[in-house]
Amino acid sequence: MTGSVPPYISDNRGATHTGSGDLYYTALFANAADRSRKARLASIKELDWLQQRFVRPPGYGQAHDILRTHRTLLLDGAPGSGRSTTAKVLLHELSSGGERFHELSWEDENEKYRVEPDLIGDDDRVWFDLSRVDERIWTALQDDLSSLRKRVDQHGALLVVVLPSRGSETLWPQFGPLHSWIDRPSALEVLRRHLRLEGVPGAATSPQPAFLSTDRPMLEIARFAGLVKKAYKDAADAGYPDWYKAAERASTGRGPEVATVVSKLRLGPQRALLLATAMLHQAHVDHVYSAATALLETVDYADERHSLERSDLIESLRDIGAELDADRHVRFTDLGYDAAVRTHFWHNMPGLRDGIQRWVATMTDHPGLDDKERDELVMRFTEQCLHSMHLQALVDSVAHWTKGPKPYRRQLAADRALRFALSAEEHGSFFRRKIYDWATDSHIPKALAQVIIVICTEVIAVTHPDQAIVRLHHLARRESRTMDARTALLGMADGDPWMRRQLLARLTRLRTVGKQWDSDVDLFLELADPVAFTAPGTHNRPLIAEAEVQKMLTEGWRRAFQERSEVDWKTGLRQWLLTAFQDDLYRDALIGVLVAGGEQRGDVLASLYSEARALPRFITESREQYAAFIDLVLQKIFAVQGIRVT
């Protein structure tokens, strides 16, 4: 292509939104509990997928026995040996299917290197990946290991801690019996397992490729298997030598080859078409040409030549090594070439990065792209940003896409980018922290807040539920014109005792730390559903049966009585008393929480007693049961006031 991109006109494909405002998340917040449960089920399916492709490494049996016996395992191994995957598979094998799987983190709101034992609930399956921490952090975290183990034992949970490199050298002696080492599994067996499950024929007897002549991390082997599958799909009649050759060429990045080609394409329109094809690989040709044109406009490239002087479509594609398939979709002929082109432009042409960012923003809102094309464009851009030097570029893009009155397509792009970034093992913690920073910003744009709400509910809550609660809580405190974050936060707690307990702890323990938030009282009154707190939880043990939960509920009611008018808490009080009347088993605890929350407030205790006496208006139980109930309420009021009844 030697001139400007020809002006192709494409039809309007996919959903269209012609007005301003946010459509994407309009109806998603009320069913946050269902969405969170579905996300957890999807997580279990991912564990099933992982276990199917897992090859047990040497040392797996010993690790399994230690975890089963001691409930805590300190897993060690060389980098790239699959320690994190082994931890998840071990926990998955020692489960019945109903347990919560999640990852612990040493992050907290003050960036202290410690972990909260209360994050481990009944029967939880928990991993703690410390493979990338330094010796200072590892030493600090060993201080918490004993309390973690105690919590694990008390709640019938299982915990696997993936040790940092050389972590065993500074392991405290008392933890020695929990330590186990795994070696690398057979690389060829790992590759064959992946190929077989990907449907590549003859995988069980496939030869060993040169790619495995050196030790490769398990993740690289899995990626190589994916490339072999693509090579098989492109040339099913070929054999393993050809498939391996294509996959090996693609896995090297093909950087020098692409650099040579780009150096020969001296004209801006040629390079624009090359990058557009790489970013929208296998998209319809109309969309690729629209993208190339938009790129030229974004970087202010001027070409005044007449369209008759420019190359035609076929010649332009041939110049960049691309072709059209039968459906007029554009593709490069060589496997992995598109990825190499993207990497070359992003990493070797730094002066173009700002232009690429602006161009991607333009294309995310392009009405011609369908959802699949838009998602792949965003994913490919995100992939280039997942480097320690370029993470901020993605942060800036997400902020830009959700700033001001933008169509819902940009919200979708921000959502997809964050999902992909959070799934990156090396950088997930960075983006969880950035989401925290956004959540604590009182001036966060509405569109970005909506993206974060869904990301917390569907993504972060699956592996880091404690962090999802923290981020949603901060959003709920700060929202003024909507109640989206509050609805999502309470929805996550609905039907999930662990989530309800964690949220209760935040609402009642943090009031003396930093700023007090009036909204926390309102959140408590909505959270304090007596039916939920008396409902059978894990092992049929309701939350109200825990002494610690009773203390937190007492504190919540105390603050509600102090800081809200009777109109605000009277309905909740009445529901609490009605549940207490109907629940023989936990009546004492329910009434005790209310009375203790009233403390020495005579007006509150008088209202409590009055509401208790008014219960016959709502119930039809026997007079004897009613009299016993009123007597119990009165006894507890007298006790909290220090009145002795003879």
Side-chain angles (χ1 to χ4, degrees), residues 327-514:
D327 296 321
R328 296 183 66 79
H329 287 195
V330 182
R331 64 186 295 273
F332 291 115
T333 55
D334 292 335
L335 180 65
Y337 194 80
D338 59 313
V341 170
R342 295 191 293 269
T343 299
H344 177 85
F345 274 91
W346 183 259
H347 291 277
N348 297 322
M349 302 180 74
L352 195 59
R353 286 182 196 139
D354 288 343
I356 291 175
Q357 282 183 257
R358 297 194 305 273
W359 171 62
V360 170
T362 298
M363 294 310 300
T364 59
D365 202 26
H366 193 289
L369 297 185
D370 61 32
D371 290 343
K372 181 176 183 293
E373 291 169 340
R374 184 177 297 104
D375 287 352
E376 290 183 346
L377 171 68
V378 171
M379 182 271 291
R380 289 161 180 162
F381 171 71
T382 301
E383 191 173 37
Q384 298 307 312
C385 295
L386 292 181
H387 183 281
S388 57
M389 294 181 62
H390 306 304
L391 299 178
Q392 189 60 40
L394 185 60
V395 170
D396 293 342
S397 292
V398 169
H400 174 68
W401 297 339
T402 53
K403 186 177 182 180
K406 302 294 183 182
Y408 81 108
R409 284 184 288 266
R410 292 200 178 188
Q411 275 187 294
L412 283 169
D415 176 286
R416 299 302 184 264
L418 287 176
R419 287 174 188 264
F420 190 76
L422 288 167
S423 69
E425 189 172 297
E426 184 177 356
H427 302 297
S429 60
F430 172 88
F431 286 98
R432 289 196 302 274
R433 183 67 200 185
K434 187 59 202 177
I435 289 171
Y436 174 85
D437 293 340
W438 278 325
T440 56
D441 182 358
S442 297
H443 303 291
I444 183 174
K446 177 185 175 183
L448 179 56
Q450 289 180 326
V451 170
I452 291 175
I453 290 169
V454 174
I455 288 292
C456 286
T457 304
E458 296 187 356
V459 181
I460 299 179
V462 175
T463 55
H464 298 81
D466 56 308
Q467 294 188 17
I469 289 174
V470 169
R471 285 145 182 77
L472 284 175
H473 185 201
H474 279 296
L475 284 171
R477 282 170 161 175
R478 291 163 173 81
E479 61 186 353
S480 56
R481 294 185 297 274
T482 67
M483 298 179 63
D484 296 336
R486 175 185 294 191
T487 301
L489 183 61
L490 293 169
M492 283 175 55
D494 186 27
D496 189 327
W498 187 92
M499 288 279 198
R500 186 174 293 274
R501 191 186 193 282
Q502 294 302 316
L503 179 54
L504 176 67
R506 282 191 61 80
L507 294 175
T508 58
R509 287 180 182 172
L510 298 183
R511 71 178 191 87
T512 59
V513 180

Side-chain angles (χ1 to χ4, degrees), residues 498-548:
W498 187 92
M499 288 279 198
R500 186 174 293 274
R501 191 186 193 282
Q502 294 302 316
L503 179 54
L504 176 67
R506 282 191 61 80
L507 294 175
T508 58
R509 287 180 182 172
L510 298 183
R511 71 178 191 87
T512 59
V513 180
K515 179 180 178 180
Q516 292 191 25
W517 295 83
D518 288 341
S519 58
D520 283 356
V521 181
D522 302 320
L523 276 167
F524 170 79
L525 288 172
E526 291 191 64
L527 183 72
D529 176 4
V531 176
F533 279 96
T534 55
T538 308
H539 307 304
N540 291 320
R541 185 168 181 256
L543 288 173
I544 193 67
E546 294 184 41
E548 184 66 19

Side-chain angles (χ1 to χ4, degrees), residues 39-61:
R40 289 200 297 273
L41 290 175
S43 175
I44 297 299
K45 290 182 179 179
E46 289 178 9
L47 287 171
D48 291 338
W49 183 94
L50 196 64
Q51 186 166 13
Q52 290 173 354
R53 287 156 178 77
F54 181 73
V55 175
R56 293 188 176 188
Y60 182 88

